[in-house]
């Protein structure tokens, strides 16, 4: 299974960060898995952003919930992240990942650095 | 919501044993599985322990996990330390529809 993040590496403050995760080697529609986004600011720890089930049920970090939307496109085997009203504090490496049920994350993307700057 | 608290850093010599703790702030540590991830600089995290004490294939048996309900914490123990074990380690668990990571522990093998 491969997960690959794609999207702009530079976003202006107050704008919307948009990333897509393309899944290959397996179906995003499997009923055993959740698909999530995790970020890591430079030099800091991991922060769960949110996750989605293939049916469309979403789960968000309460601290980001007002700004985050995660969606899934089963026809393209992709899921996406939108984070609006970004600031410099949103600068981070963004990873997409697969959860096995509500337990472990067993596959991670390679991560993509998104910098928020004018 | 709950938090997972880890020590900032630990260090130990090659060949020795080190234990990294992960304390859950509210709710029982036994309510949901704890996972442990290893992250080397510039790389994505990888799982070294899942479901409290299970090792993925390919992870050496020097890595072990446990939970302790009396201290409401989980632990990752690495025995026979090797220089290649030097990395950041994160615990992670789930509860009330949220996934939570600990702050991470930097392991130095010197």
């Amino acid at each position: 299974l491969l997960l690959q993040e794609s999207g702009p590496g530079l976003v202006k403050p107050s704008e919307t960060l948009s990333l897509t995760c393309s899944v290959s080697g397996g179906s995003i529609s499997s009923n055993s898995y959740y698909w999530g986004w995790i970020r890591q600011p430079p030099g800091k720890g991991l922060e769960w952003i949110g996750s989605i089930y293939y049916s469309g049920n979403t789960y968000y970090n309460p601290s980001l919930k007002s700004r985050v939307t995660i969606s899934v496109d089963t026809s393209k085997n992709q899921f996406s992240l939108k984070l609006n009203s970004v600031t410099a504090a949103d600068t981070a490496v963004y990873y997409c990942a697969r959860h096995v049920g509500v337990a472990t994350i067993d596959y991670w993307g390679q991560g993509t650095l998104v910098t928020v700057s004018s | 919501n709950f938090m997972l608290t880890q020590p900032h850093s630990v260090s130990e010599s090659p060949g020795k044993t080190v234990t990294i703790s992960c304390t859950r702030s509210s709710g029982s540590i036994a309510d949901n599985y704890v996972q442990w991830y290893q992250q080397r600089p510039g790389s994505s995290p990888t799982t070294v322990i899942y479901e409290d004490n299970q090792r993925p294939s390919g992870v050496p048996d020097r890595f072990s996990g446990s939970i302790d309900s009396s201290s409401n914490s989980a632990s990752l123990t690495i025995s026979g330390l090797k220089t290649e074990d030097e990395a950041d380690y994160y615990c992670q668990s789930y509860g009330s529809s949220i996934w939570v990571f600990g702050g991470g522990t930097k392991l130095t093998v010197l």
Side-chain angles (χ1 to χ4, degrees):
Chain A
L1 189 78
L2 286 177
L3 289 80
Q4 179 67 57
E5 306 89 352
S6 61
L10 181 64
V11 182
K12 290 182 168 54
S14 80
E15 294 190 346
T16 297
L17 179 160
S18 297
L19 295 174
T20 296
C21 182
S22 299
V23 179
S24 58
S27 173
I28 203 168
S29 299
S30 170
N31 62 5
S32 301
Y33 307 112
Y34 293 76
W35 306 90
W37 289 96
I38 296 107
R39 71 180 183 179
Q40 185 171 37
K44 296 189 178 180
L46 301 169
E47 179 182 34
W48 173 71
I49 299 170
S51 300
I52 190 165
Y53 197 52
Y54 79 98
S55 61
N57 289 355
T58 52
Y59 308 84
Y60 297 133
N61 185 324
S63 67
L64 297 169
K65 187 173 184 176
S66 63
R67 298 194 292 132
V68 173
T69 302
I70 296 175
S71 58
V72 65
D73 187 337
T74 54
S75 67
K76 295 182 178 178
N77 225 36
Q78 295 176 337
F79 63 105
S80 299
L81 167 71
K82 291 189 186 301
L83 179 67
N84 58 35
S85 304
V86 297
T87 70
D90 295 309
T91 293
V93 173
Y94 285 75
Y95 295 99
C96 60
R98 187 181 84 168
H99 306 272
V100 180
V102 297
T104 192
I105 296 168
D106 61 348
Y107 285 95
W108 298 72
Q110 66 182 26
T112 187
L113 174 63
V114 179
T115 301
V116 179
S117 175
S118 55
Chain B
N1 300 342
F2 66 96
M3 295 192 306
L4 297 173
T5 301
Q6 302 179 231
H8 226 63
S9 62
V10 296
S11 62
E12 190 51 271
S13 303
K16 300 291 189 178
T17 296
V18 70
T19 297
I20 300 171
S21 62
C22 170
T23 302
R24 182 165 173 155
S25 62
S26 61
S28 172
I29 194 73
D31 281 352
N32 299 96
Y33 288 127
V34 176
Q35 281 64 236
W36 290 91
Y37 304 97
Q38 177 192 70
Q39 187 181 33
R40 296 193 174 100
S43 296
S44 303
T46 60
T47 308
V48 291
I49 294 290
Y50 69 98
E51 293 180 2
D52 296 342
N53 54 19
Q54 302 298 303
R55 273 179 295 105
S57 59
V59 174
D61 60 6
R62 303 184 296 106
F63 290 79
S64 62
S66 63
I67 63 167
D68 179 357
S69 294
S70 66
S71 58
N72 214 34
S73 64
S75 294
L76 170 69
T77 299
I78 311 172
S79 60
L81 276 169
K82 300 184 176 185
T83 55
E84 68 203 46
D85 298 329
E86 188 162 291
D88 294 326
Y89 291 85
Y90 295 89
C91 60
Q92 173 260 314
S93 192
Y94 170 88
S96 301
S97 300
I98 64 170
W99 281 261
V100 176
F101 286 96
T105 299
K106 182 176 181 58
L107 169 62
T108 301
V109 181
L110 37 63

